[in-house]
Amino acid sequence: RRGLMYSTDAGRHFDLIGPSDGVSTSFYRAIFNPNDPNIIYTASEKGVYLTKDRGATWTLILAFPGNNPDSFDDMPDLVIRPDNPSILIAAQINLGVSRTADGGTTWTRVDQAMDPATQTGVLAWSPSDPNTVYCERNIVAGGQHMVTYASSDAGVTWSQAANLAFYHQDRYDMALAVDPTNPARVVLANGYLGVSTDGLKTYG
C-alpha cells in the first residue's frame, strides 16, 4: 500500500518509484516493456499507469469506473502481448475486459461475448502464440464455479471455454498460467488447482 518498489541489484535492495498521485493505494501488477526497460505499466485498484522514465514520472492512462476500494474483489489484472508491447489487456470488476493497441492511449472494451453475471478475474497470454489469450471469471452468485474464455485473435474477440466446478474462495487466489512452449496447456488456480491440455476446452 505504498507503490512500486524497484531493484537494480537482483532484489537485494529496493527503492520506491511511485506512482504517488494520491489516487491509488495498492498496485497488483507491473509489466516491463520488453523492448525498453524504462517503460513500465502497472495496475492498481483504481486504474492503469504508465511510466516512460523508469518511475520518475507517471501517467494514469486508464481510470476504472466506479469507487473501487482497495479490496480483493477490486484487484485488477494486466497482460501485455509478448511480441508487440503496444497491445495490452486490462481486466477489473467494474471495467470488464478492455484492450489497447496503441500503448494505452485508447482502450476498447472487448468482453461483450462474456457472461455479464460473472465478475472479471484474471488473464494469461501465451508466450509461444501471441494470438492466444485466456480469461477466468467467477460467478457472482453462489461462488462455487468459474467460467473461462479463450481468444485466438490476441484479445479482440472471445469465446466461452470450460466451466470450472472449483470452490471459489475469492479473487485473490484466482490465477492462470500458460505453458511457455505449449499454448494449449493452461494451469488454473483458485480453491483447487487444475490443468487443461486443450486450450481450456476441458480440464482435470
Side-chain angles (χ1 to χ4, degrees), residues 4 19 33 57 66 68 77 86 88 101 108-109 116 131 138 172 175 177 187:
L4 293 187
N33 181 315
T57 59
N68 303 307
D77 204 2
S86 295
L88 298 96
T108 301
R109 189 157 181 175
N131 288 315
N138 66 287
Y172 66 86
V187 176

Side-chain angles (χ1 to χ4, degrees), residues 1 14-15 22 31 34 38 51 62 110 113-114 122 125 134 136-137 146 150 152 155 158 161 164 169 202 204:
R1 296 189 172 186
F14 283 88
D15 296 312
I31 302 174
N38 293 304
T51 178
L62 176 63
V110 292
M114 297 184 184
V122 291
W125 216 308
Y134 299 103
E136 176 187 351
R137 289 160 66 117
M146 287 150 286
S152 59
W158 297 81
L164 308 179
Q169 185 166 304
T202 62

Side-chain angles (χ1 to χ4, degrees), residues 129-147:
D129 180 3
N131 288 315
T132 299
V133 197
Y134 299 103
C135 179
E136 176 187 351
R137 289 160 66 117
N138 66 287
I139 297 294
V140 176
Q144 292 299 312
H145 80 274
M146 287 150 286
V147 182

Side-chain angles (χ1 to χ4, degrees), residues 23-96:
V23 174
S24 296
T25 302
S26 297
F27 296 85
Y28 298 98
R29 180 73 72 190
I31 302 174
F32 279 100
N33 181 315
N35 300 332
D36 185 347
N38 293 304
I39 299 175
I40 306 169
Y41 294 90
T42 185
S44 76
E45 81 281 10
K46 299 294 188 182
V48 178
Y49 292 77
L50 167 65
T51 178
K52 296 182 178 181
D53 49 20
R54 207 176 298 194
T57 59
W58 291 89
T59 303
L60 180 63
I61 59 172
L62 176 63
F64 300 151
N67 183 37
N68 303 307
D70 187 11
S71 67
F72 294 130
D73 285 341
D74 294 87
M75 285 182 180
D77 204 2
L78 182 68
V79 291
I80 192 167
R81 180 167 174 154
D83 65 339
N84 185 346
S86 295
I87 301 176
L88 298 96
I89 301 174
Q92 195 261 358
I93 185 171
N94 291 323
L95 174 77

Side-chain angles (χ1 to χ4, degrees), residues 96-134:
V97 181
S98 286
R99 183 181 188 272
T100 178
D102 54 17
T105 301
T106 59
W107 295 81
T108 301
R109 189 157 181 175
V110 292
D111 63 350
Q112 290 84 355
M114 297 184 184
D115 184 351
T118 57
Q119 293 178 332
T120 305
V122 291
L123 302 161
W125 216 308
S126 167
S128 61
D129 180 3
N131 288 315
T132 299
V133 197
Y134 299 103

Side-chain angles (χ1 to χ4, degrees), residues 174-191:
M174 293 174 69
L176 284 176
V178 185
D179 187 322
T181 63
N182 181 356
R185 187 169 187 268
V186 186
V187 176
L188 311 105
N190 201 272

